[in-house]
Amino acid sequence: MLKLYVAAREKLVSLQNDISGATAIEYGLIAAGISIAILAGVQIAGPAIGDLFTTIGGSLEEVNAQP
């Protein structure tokens, strides 16, 4: 019984000292922040880019319509 306790205690101590999980969480939070920034940028710039392509498309139609 004591041998099982010592093995369990050693495993818990090794897990407590392992920081790889914390690093993975930090990288996940950074990725989430970057994703939110990209989505915000697309939401803000999206209509302006759509208008730009509409203007370009209209200009191309006018050029093609000329004899």
Side-chain angles (χ1 to χ4, degrees):
M1 184 72 168
L2 182 60
K3 194 183 245 187
L4 180 62
Y5 172 76
V6 171
R9 176 82 175 144
E10 287 176 357
K11 183 65 176 172
L12 288 174
V13 168
S14 72
L15 286 175
Q16 184 179 9
N17 294 332
D18 185 16
I19 62 168
S20 63
T23 304
I25 291 172
E26 290 169 356
Y27 283 131
L29 291 172
I30 291 169
I34 291 171
S35 299
I36 290 171
I38 290 171
L39 288 174
V42 168
Q43 289 289 328
I44 293 169
I49 293 172
D51 292 342
L52 176 66
F53 281 118
T54 301
T55 303
I56 292 171
S59 298
L60 291 174
E61 286 178 2
E62 289 175 10
V63 170
N64 286 335
Q66 295 177 356

